[in-house]
Amino acid sequence: MAQTPKSTTPLSPEQARKLLHQMILVRRFEEKAAEMYTKTKIRGFLHLYIGEEAVAVGVLQALRAEDNVLATYREHGHALVRGIDPGKIMAEMYGRLEGCSRGRGGSMHLFDSKTKFYGGNAIVAGHLAMAVGLALADKKMKRDQLTCCFFGEGAMAEGAFHEAMNLAALWQVPVLFVCENNLYAMGTALRYTHAQTNLELKGAAYGIASSSVDGMDLLAVMQAANMAAEAVRSTGQPHFLVCNTYRFRAHSMFDAELYREKSEVEEWKKRDPIPGFLNYLMQQQVLTDVEFKNIETQVEKEVQDAVDFAETCSWEPVEELTRYTYSERKS
Amino acid sequence: MAQTPKSTTPLSPEQARKLLHQMILVRRFEEKAAEMYTKTKIRGFLHLYIGEEAVAVGVLQALRAEDNVLATYREHGHALVRGIDPGKIMAEMYGRLEGCSRGRGGSMHLFDSKTKFYGGNAIVAGHLAMAVGLALADKKMKRDQLTCCFFGEGAMAEGAFHEAMNLAALWQVPVLFVCENNLYAMGTALRYTHAQTNLELKGAAYGIASSSVDGMDLLAVMQAANMAAEAVRSTGQPHFLVCNTYRFRAHSMFDAELYREKSEVEEWKKRDPIPGFLNYLMQQQVLTDVEFKNIETQVEKEVQDAVDFAETCSWEPVEELTRYTYSERKS
Amino acid sequence: MLTYRECLKQAIQEALQGDERVFLLGEDVGRYGGAFAVSKNLLQEFGPERILDTPLSEAGFVGAGIGAALGGMRPIVEIMTVNFSLLALDQIANNAATLLHMSGGQFNVPLVIRMSAGIGKQLAAQHSHSWEPLFAHLPGLRILSAGTHQDARYMLAPALLDPDPVIIFEYTSLLNLEKELSEAADAVDISKASVRREGKDISLITYGTGVYKALEAAEELATAGIEAEVLDLRILRPLDDDTIMASVSKTNRALLVEDASRSVSISSEVSTRIMEKCFYELDAPVARLCGAEVPIPYPKHLEDAAVPQPAQIVSMVKKILQHD
Amino acid sequence: MLTYRECLKQAIQEALQGDERVFLLGEDVGRYGGAFAVSKNLLQEFGPERILDTPLSEAGFVGAGIGAALGGMRPIVEIMTVNFSLLALDQIANNAATLLHMSGGQFNVPLVIRMSAGIGKQLAAQHSHSWEPLFAHLPGLRILSAGTHQDARYMLAPALLDPDPVIIFEYTSLLNLEKELSEAADAVDISKASVRREGKDISLITYGTGVYKALEAAEELATAGIEAEVLDLRILRPLDDDTIMASVSKTNRALLVEDASRSVSISSEVSTRIMEKCFYELDAPVARLCGAEVPIPYPKHLEDAAVPQPAQIVSMVKKILQHD
Ligand SMILES: Cc1ncc(C[n+]2csc(CCOP(=O)(O)OP(=O)(O)O)c2C)c(N)n1
Ligand SMILES: Cc1ncc(C[n+]2csc(CCOP(=O)(O)OP(=O)(O)O)c2C)c(N)n1
Ligand SMILES: [Mg+2]
Ligand SMILES: [Mg+2]
């Protein structure tokens, strides 16, 4: 079914640089966001993706511009990799009018119609059925594109997961379901969320082809995602991909992390996907030290530019509070 | 784990008569209910169980008086076999004060605290989580009893099924989940309800031991139910039992049955569980023709008595409309 | 003469014929013919692509409807009855109603949800809900109530043209009722309430099953020389204040009638707005006749006692008028 | 001085100590320590049998709570925030609220559900709901709102003694606020509203986050010689009409204040009841200050603009009083 996955063919230098750039951009951008949060430039909830970058980068590279993407409230990385301007994302987290959601959504609700990025959804598992519907529309309109839906392992306990998986399989619509299994739902470990902790097995209950992959290994994720995406495109059927990863930071800025040992976190940090990928590139000699440095400085600039942009952005006038509660009728 | 199931040991004459009596009572009672519906003595929804009797009779014989039972709106049979007085059930369907739910529930909401019969629930799959909670209370209070929960295969598409199964498995509570797979959810055939039509497989997604049985064969259901109940009692863990059966009548009195062929129904009627069981008893010579006739006449009388009783029952005074919206405080 | 059921069916047929982006999905809308036979034979007429039977998954198929709407389709999602709608309420409130505003105007949701509602068939507590008030509280939604055959027949078309989520309440107890349809007013306005009967003495303000009950009561009152105006709200959110206040300013009295239970109801909102906007024109306090605050019981006599009846409307009006 | 958070925690501790049938279940109540640290260390103190972490399954664990209550336990179900409560609303409305009546008085459901609600932490549209009005519409439920530290501390005990389902609204924005607690009134009455401040000129009728805002406004008004009475509804269902009417009969004016959006709100019900019972004692129409009818946006200035602020209460009161 699946063609030879891209990533088994060695990475071209351009590809390598692009991927590394994305990985580092997501990391540095979020580190900066955390900093800005402590400076109270950003408020509300802030959910960092740090440690899980290989999942968004590895999966999204398998998508095309016309595909739909839906993510959770932990979506800065997905938004950046999908190509939403970092400045607009930072401005959104600042709550400014120039943000990608007009400043109204903040960190949890990044939206962008140009890149077909349907959020930024903060009701756990609330977006899975929407993903099925988007794919159904594509099927009905004979558009050759898939819908990629990211969610956590905690979301799989919700009835919404069960219903969405069954509908996708019954209707045979092209949805790539991506579970970001970071082992915790807030403070609830996998074994307290699911009686069946082998998540991949759950696909069988719906007759959905499933696979799982080491979510800390970018190349592995790319390969698994390419195969999965290819399967979805060629069959028009849903696929369930489990990416096993880990969240290095707290669930949100309100989390004292009472539920896990520091040592566990340290263990996982040894598998940090960025140095891992970097070393591989160095070994393969598709990347030079100079190029790496360039990427670092370039990313640093991009992130700083994003902050500088956000700082200059404006506040939505209070008079516009209720604007877009309903569509504006052209009269 | 499971002791030798009762039903492999040949049935005693008493047992045989009791079971046959229950099967025929359920059948005749519902035929009478249908008649009374056409006579407008009974109104609202009326969901007949005709054809599925072996499931309720076979499963409930595996229970003890202290066990909890929850059923759907298609529960006349369960209520009768559980031992609720037929007169009180008929009175309930008549909407009379002397009914088992004070006449307020009607056909879909039979309740009886004495037999621990928790409905008669009309929101599909809405009672599964309650069953888990009842079992949780028993576990916490160290009461050695199980909770038996009946539902249809259509209910398994609801998120409520997914959540209840996972919770029961996580909490390790003694729930016997009984799926009455009659192949249709109103007019929606199994294959349009589930992408995975092998229902038994769904238990694995929750790590719940599962089994399935021919729901038209009383002895087979008894054996499967005894093993399942024994497993639940000995392990304190949930079990998922699928009984494959068929609804001979329309979904409710409002159903034109446009969704299935008459011939399909006729085919299934050849597997009517009552003549099947009767023939077996005759062959085994545990039942004589005379005894059979006695049962028939006895059931006829019971059903007529139920109707006669219902006819004499009273209407709840309008002044009591809001009584029990909240508990009555003893002052 | 057309039954209310036939009106609903023709509206769906017309919608399916007029726009191929429209499709109907819900439980048993196809092979079964619709729980109440509203969509009978539409599967045969339009095929399984347009008439989609769903499993029992209210949250799932409503969410899928939202997604399909985002994807450019014009889904008509049927929730078989309002009694099951709470299972999908998170999808409606947190997704359908918020996406446009939350995305800064980028993603609108042109979704229509139809559901059969109300009391009257002796279906007991879990199947007799009148939950219009719950939905009418939620910003971002447009809530319609088809209390007449006219609206059952013509409300769907404008609802489908609306760029935002619209929920249409239909009434099980009216399905078999036959009425004459006046010729199709072109493009029914789904922003305005409608005066179903003119009167000068009191305004009977109602919706849904209350409309025909109020009209019946008004006829009876007329024989007693009392001219009651019957106002059908039609749009429960956003409410059409102008039409309401115009009527009350004329009659100076109002009785609000609805089947939904009394507390935090449509009537309480209407009464409050009248207080806010017409206080000094009132000759008597605005009164309510609402459903009893109780789970609806099965027996007919208790069911009837649980919601306003024409006779009660009549006596209540007389009491209000004696008031001065 | 105690924080509101500490009050909630002490109430839960006391309940767990006083009755071994009581247990707390919900998402992250144990190992995480509660999403808002309300149940921090309770797992260590009472063990996993009494403090039960659940998966993300709101409908499931609320339904299980109903079942456990039927089975003789006294569960305290925590729905992390009201924003997720719609996922469990079918369980609450069709099971918890109806079982007793539908079973003819056989099965009561002694369940307590706690949820954190409201706006104020810049959590945006899906996490800033004030849905008290939705729950207050449903017969069979008792709806409490802990607008003060006193009630955060003492409402839980009587709720657990109630034989029927009780829902307690708590407020995220108050968690860190410190107040002095007056000594425990023995057995707090959960059927009565409470006058938090006496006044003769106007009744400020509110609940939840509105209480401290109204008290602040009242202080400000006092400096202008206006004596506002502040009435905390406390019990949103069933409403305590006596206390409401007594206050309005005294002041002859009322301003209703709540964060929930305006249409079909608690305020609309209260205003309507005042119209029905005190119409002839009113010197001015009852007015409302409610939340804007909009999904709540993330930025602070828009969030603040979406709900009533003390300054608005003050100016609104002055306008009403000039009125005559
Ligand atoms: C329906 C719902 N319930 C509860 C919450 C509160 N909450 C936010 S994130 C979260 C944990 C989700 O875990 P998971 O799905 O594994 O995603 P992760 O945060 O680990 O990426 C919870 C309980 C919510 N937002 N929505
Ligand atoms: C949540 C919900 N959705 C829809 C309905 C309407 N309805 C009543 S029974 C039924 C079919 C249920 O099928 P199944 O679970 O297989 O049980 P069966 O009737 O076949 O015994 C439907 C759709 C309902 N009662 N509850
Ligand atoms: Mg997780
Ligand atoms: Mg079935």
Side-chain angles (χ1 to χ4, degrees), chain A residues 7-82:
Chain A
S7 60
T8 56
T9 59
L11 293 171
S12 72
E14 300 63 39
Q15 229 184 337
R17 282 195 298 277
K18 181 173 180 215
L19 292 164
L20 184 63
H21 182 279
Q22 291 180 329
M23 296 285 284
I24 296 175
L25 173 61
V26 174
R27 177 70 56 97
R28 301 277 171 267
F29 184 92
E30 287 204 309
E31 288 166 347
K32 178 63 73 175
E35 179 191 334
M36 291 303 135
Y37 194 93
T38 57
K39 292 186 179 165
T40 75
K41 294 289 190 173
I42 299 173
R43 300 278 71 200
F45 281 137
L46 183 73
H47 305 91
L48 300 180
Y49 195 59
I50 291 176
E52 310 184 37
E53 295 90 344
V55 177
V57 173
V59 170
L60 290 172
Q61 60 80 39
L63 301 193
R64 302 175 184 160
E66 63 271 24
D67 296 333
N68 304 309
V69 179
L70 296 86
T72 72
Y73 43 83
R74 194 182 301 287
E75 87 287 29
H76 313 136
H78 311 73
L80 286 164
V81 176
R82 186 59 178 171

Side-chain angles (χ1 to χ4, degrees), chain A residues 3-241:
Chain A
Q3 75 197 13
T4 340
K6 298 194 191 88
S7 60
T8 56
T9 59
L11 293 171
S12 72
E14 300 63 39
Q15 229 184 337
R17 282 195 298 277
K18 181 173 180 215
L19 292 164
L20 184 63
H21 182 279
Q22 291 180 329
M23 296 285 284
I24 296 175
L25 173 61
V26 174
R27 177 70 56 97
R28 301 277 171 267
F29 184 92
E30 287 204 309
E31 288 166 347
K32 178 63 73 175
E35 179 191 334
M36 291 303 135
Y37 194 93
T38 57
K39 292 186 179 165
T40 75
K41 294 289 190 173
I42 299 173
R43 300 278 71 200
F45 281 137
L46 183 73
H47 305 91
L48 300 180
Y49 195 59
I50 291 176
E52 310 184 37
E53 295 90 344
V55 177
V57 173
V59 170
L60 290 172
Q61 60 80 39
L63 301 193
R64 302 175 184 160
E66 63 271 24
D67 296 333
N68 304 309
V69 179
L70 296 86
T72 72
Y73 43 83
R74 194 182 301 287
E75 87 287 29
H76 313 136
H78 311 73
L80 286 164
V81 176
R82 186 59 178 171
I84 305 179
D85 175 66
K88 289 184 162 218
I89 296 173
M90 189 60 77
E92 185 59 36
M93 293 159 83
Y94 268 58
R96 304 301 175 98
L97 186 57
E98 295 80 357
C100 59
S101 303
R102 220 180 152 81
R104 291 168 166 190
S107 161
M108 299 202 291
H109 299 297
L110 304 175
F111 285 91
D112 181 48
S113 56
K114 281 177 301 314
T115 56
K116 305 185 73 173
F117 196 82
Y118 292 92
N121 295 278
I123 300 299
V124 170
H127 58 306
L128 276 67
M130 285 199 293
V132 174
L134 279 159
L136 180 64
D138 289 335
K139 181 179 183 178
K140 286 184 172 300
M141 295 194 162
K142 311 229 176 328
R143 290 181 296 231
D144 173 23
Q145 55 201 47
L146 64 72
T147 296
C148 179
C149 182
F150 294 89
F151 51 89
E153 89 292 340
M156 292 174 61
E158 292 281 2
F161 166 81
H162 178 71
E163 297 185 7
M165 291 285 279
N166 187 45
L167 289 177
L170 271 171
W171 294 343
Q172 311 199 336
V173 290
V175 180
L176 176 54
F177 291 103
V178 180
C179 173
E180 303 179 302
N181 173 23
N182 60 11
L183 298 178
Y184 291 91
M186 280 183 72
T188 303
L190 176 62
R191 68 183 177 288
Y192 300 118
T193 289
H194 296 288
Q196 174 53 268
T197 54
N198 186 340
L199 301 178
E200 195 182 338
L201 281 185
K202 293 181 187 284
Y206 313 99
I208 293 184
S210 309
S211 51
S212 70
V213 64
D214 175 359
M216 307 305 274
D217 177 342
L218 177 58
L219 294 175
V221 175
M222 287 170 64
Q223 176 163 6
N226 290 335
M227 289 181 68
E230 177 53 32
V232 172
R233 295 190 202 282
S234 56
T235 64
Q237 310 252 5
H239 185 96
F240 177 46
L241 172 63

Side-chain angles (χ1 to χ4, degrees), chain B residues 92 100-102 104-105 109 111-114 116-118 120-121 123 125-127 129-134 136-138 140-141 143 160 163-164 166-167 170-171 320-327 329, chain D residues 21 23 25 49-50 52-61 63-64 66-68 70-73 90-91 94-95 99-108 138-142 162-164 237-238:
Chain B
E92 185 59 36
C100 60
S101 303
R102 220 182 152 80
R104 291 169 166 189
H109 300 297
F111 286 91
D112 181 49
S113 55
K114 280 176 301 315
K116 305 185 72 174
F117 196 81
Y118 293 92
N121 295 279
I123 300 299
H127 58 307
M130 285 199 293
V132 174
L134 278 158
L136 180 64
D138 289 336
K140 286 185 173 299
M141 295 194 162
R143 289 183 298 231
E163 296 185 8
N166 187 44
L167 290 177
L170 272 170
W171 294 343
E320 303 221 330
L321 170 63
T322 59
R323 187 174 176 193
Y324 298 125
T325 302
Y326 297 93
S327 295
R329 327 237 157 185
Chain D
R21 297 171 307 168
F23 67 107
L25 73 163
E49 293 298 310
R50 312 289 304 282
L52 187 46
D53 277 324
T54 66
L56 278 137
S57 305
E58 286 78 7
F61 65 75
I66 295 167
L70 287 169
M73 299 296 289
D90 169 70
Q91 284 294 327
N94 274 318
N95 289 340
L99 272 166
L100 179 65
H101 189 273
M102 183 167 69
S103 67
Q106 290 179 87
F107 295 112
N108 65 302
L138 302 170
L141 302 179
R142 178 174 298 273
D162 196 291
D164 302 315
R237 180 179 191 92

Side-chain angles (χ1 to χ4, degrees), chain D residues 241-274:
Chain D
D241 286 2
D242 297 352
T243 307
I244 296 169
M245 303 314 154
S247 177
V248 175
S249 305
K250 179 177 72 176
T251 63
N252 311 110
R253 294 180 186 77
L255 172 62
L256 315 181
V257 180
E258 75 181 309
D259 280 359
S261 67
R262 185 181 187 87
S263 292
V264 194
S265 59
I266 303 294
S267 297
S268 51
E269 180 61 27
V270 172
S271 173
T272 299
R273 291 186 184 206
I274 293 171

Side-chain angles (χ1 to χ4, degrees), chain B residues 179-210:
Chain B
C179 172
E180 303 178 303
N181 173 22
N182 59 12
L183 298 179
Y184 290 91
M186 282 185 68
T188 302
L190 176 62
R191 68 183 178 286
Y192 299 118
T193 290
H194 296 287
Q196 173 54 268
T197 54
N198 186 341
L199 301 178
E200 195 182 339
L201 282 185
K202 292 181 188 282
Y206 314 99
I208 293 183
S210 309

